[in-house]
Amino acid sequence: MITLDASQSAALSVALEEPISVITGGPGTGKTTILREALDRLGESARVALCAPTGKAAKRMLEATGKPASTIHRLLGFNPAEGGFYYDATNPLPFDVVFVDEASMIDVELFANLVEAIDEKTTRIVFVGDADQLPSVGPGSILADLVRESLVPVATLSTVHRSAQESWICESAPRVLRGDELDLSPREDFRFMLAEDSSSVPVIAGDALEEYADAQILVPQKTGKAGADAINVAVQERFNPLRPHESEWGKSPHKIRPRDRVIHVRNNYDLGVFNGEVGTVDSIDNASGKMLVAFPDRSASVEYSRSDAFDLRLAYALTIHKSQGSEWAWVIVIAHNAHTFMLTRQLFYTAITRGKKGVVIVGNEKGIRNALSSKRSASRNTALAERIKGEM
């Protein structure tokens, strides 16, 4: 059994004793440690479910705990034919405890469906996440509301532990939230690549991707010379040119070819593919009008028609909003003054904390300074706190 600090011990007690609770904290504070320890304390006899909003986040839970994990949609038994869930208020989930990771990206609708399927007499639910992350892509700001208003028991992990203290990410993340200057000198887990002119960003981002082949490029916005669309086109042409006798679908900047990394941008209940899922194009067949896309949490590729493929976009570069709930070994974060209006502290914080091993920042110092000086964050009138308190 590991030795826990005071905040971790309090978090473990909350997770094991409260009917509904939140465990929150920044990178390196031990959220995964608490999850593993809670599972050990519960033992093999406990009926436990692990879930997350995305397939990638669920896969990370599996890797971290050694226990099966699924998306929330799969846990609830989503039925694409009827557009509903197998588990609901009349047929609650058959578990003693449900752990939900990356809770910051759960929107109002999914939160409602999940909570509705919990029988409060028999099942506890534990939300795990970082309340300083961006809110969900969909409506609401669930985790931040629960934490800010103390609507349920909340345990906040605040100590960065020895194994993470040397990490540039763990050192820099709280500095970003405070607006403090960052150390941009090269380290084993960090590089700053200067791109003074916005038109050079796609090329230099490609240089970074060539060095860190499995990295994910994260961008504050889609449009502009340094936007995600421009970077995706440049990276596609550089690393995945169209081969003889191959087909491509769509129009620039959304042409899709075999081998392309793609993201699904709208819930498609017929295909069972949801907003934010990232996969790789296996093949495109013009004769049959079919495209096959492999997703990491599926045993078989998903078949897209031409009309279905309108929901796919290139994913070499993703907007930071689309990165929520995901994590990569390395992230290449674009921080340029061309994105000054969009690049806030919260956005920048979310981007750098998506890296597990390291971060490459591509941009200029003016862009970084602008991000650190901007306290603006998305304002959402959710009324969740008032509803829970019974004030409406």
Side-chain angles (χ1 to χ4, degrees):
M1 190 174 295
I2 63 172
T3 302
L4 303 176
D5 65 30
S7 67
Q8 288 179 315
S9 295
L12 184 61
S13 296
V14 165
L16 294 175
E17 297 170 8
E18 299 291 346
I20 180 170
S21 59
V22 170
I23 310 299
T24 186
T29 56
K31 296 188 296 295
T32 301
T33 298
I34 295 303
L35 178 58
R36 285 197 293 256
E37 189 68 12
L39 291 171
D40 287 344
R41 301 278 181 98
L42 288 167
E44 295 297 328
S45 61
R47 300 175 303 163
V48 176
L50 305 182
C51 65
T54 66
K56 196 155 191 173
K59 186 177 180 181
R60 287 209 328 271
M61 289 187 84
L62 167 62
E63 293 168 349
T65 66
K67 305 288 186 182
S70 71
T71 63
I72 298 173
H73 281 87
R74 290 183 184 276
L75 177 69
L76 296 178
F78 177 73
N79 185 331
E82 299 179 3
F85 295 96
Y86 178 76
Y87 293 108
D88 55 21
T90 61
N91 184 33
L93 288 163
F95 299 103
D96 300 316
V97 188
V98 175
F99 290 95
V100 187
D101 202 9
E102 292 291 354
S104 62
M105 69 177 303
I106 302 174
D107 62 24
V108 168
E109 184 177 5
L110 189 56
F111 178 77
N113 288 326
L114 176 59
V115 173
E116 188 177 54
I118 299 292
D119 184 341
E120 67 274 15
K121 297 178 181 178
T122 59
T123 305
R124 299 198 306 277
I125 185 166
V126 182
F127 294 98
V128 182
D130 185 345
D132 289 317
Q133 298 280 353
L134 289 169
S136 58
V137 174
S141 186
I142 298 297
L143 186 65
D145 281 349
L146 293 176
V147 172
R148 183 178 57 251
E149 301 290 342
S150 298
L151 299 174
V152 300
V154 175
T156 300
L157 302 173
S158 54
T159 303
V160 176
H161 292 274
R162 184 175 302 171
S163 60
Q165 284 176 351
E166 300 302 317
S167 160
W168 183 90
I169 297 170
C170 295
E171 173 189 304
S172 301
R175 297 182 68 84
V176 170
L177 291 176
R178 295 192 302 266
D180 294 344
E181 184 178 352
L182 300 182
D183 178 6
L184 300 181
S185 56
R187 287 163 57 161
E188 186 176 344
D189 60 348
F190 174 77
R191 283 185 64 190
F192 172 61
M193 299 178 70
L194 179 64
E196 199 60 68
D197 186 79
S198 61
S199 61
S200 68
V201 168
V203 175
I204 296 175
D207 292 342
L209 191 60
E210 188 162 14
E211 186 170 348
Y212 302 94
D214 294 331
Q216 177 63 54
I217 302 172
L218 301 179
V219 195
Q221 64 189 50
K222 292 192 297 182
T223 57
K225 294 179 181 179
D229 286 346
I231 295 172
N232 272 320
V233 170
V235 170
Q236 183 191 51
E237 288 301 321
R238 180 170 174 174
F239 296 105
N240 190 29
L242 191 65
R243 299 176 183 177
H245 311 298
E246 282 187 337
S247 299
E248 63 180 2
W249 285 3
K251 297 180 179 180
S252 186
H254 305 304
K255 288 181 180 178
I256 295 176
R257 301 166 179 168
R259 299 170 304 282
D260 274 335
R261 185 188 300 177
V262 292
I263 183 171
H264 193 98
V265 297
R266 184 182 65 87
N267 289 342
N268 186 317
Y269 296 105
D270 293 327
L271 293 181
V273 184
F274 302 98
N275 186 15
E277 293 196 60
V278 175
T280 304
V281 178
D282 279 340
S283 63
I284 297 176
D285 186 348
N286 272 341
S288 64
K290 295 177 181 178
M291 174 192 293
L292 294 179
V293 180
F295 292 95
D297 64 329
R298 290 170 170 77
S299 57
S301 296
V302 177
E303 183 180 295
Y304 282 74
S305 66
R306 280 187 176 271
S307 59
D308 292 328
F310 284 115
D311 293 336
L312 294 173
R313 299 288 185 272
L314 292 175
Y316 300 107
L318 297 176
T319 62
I320 297 169
H321 281 89
K322 286 291 186 184
S323 74
Q324 293 169 259
S326 297
E327 186 178 73
W328 297 269
W330 281 79
V331 290
I332 301 166
V333 179
I334 309 303
H336 194 278
N337 65 288
H339 298 149
T340 294
F341 180 75
M342 288 293 295
L343 189 54
T344 63
R345 287 183 196 174
Q346 191 179 34
L347 203 74
F348 195 30
Y349 173 87
T350 299
I352 67 172
T353 57
R354 296 303 85 199
K356 189 174 181 180
K357 292 183 179 178
V359 174
V360 177
I361 293 180
V362 173
N364 56 15
E365 292 190 32
K366 184 177 180 181
I368 295 172
R369 287 197 303 271
N370 290 344
L372 296 176
S373 65
S374 175
K375 296 181 180 181
R376 289 180 293 107
S377 60
S379 177
R380 298 193 174 187
N381 300 317
T382 65
L384 176 66
E386 291 79 8
R387 288 178 181 274
I388 292 178
K389 293 175 180 178
E391 295 174 4
M392 294 185 67

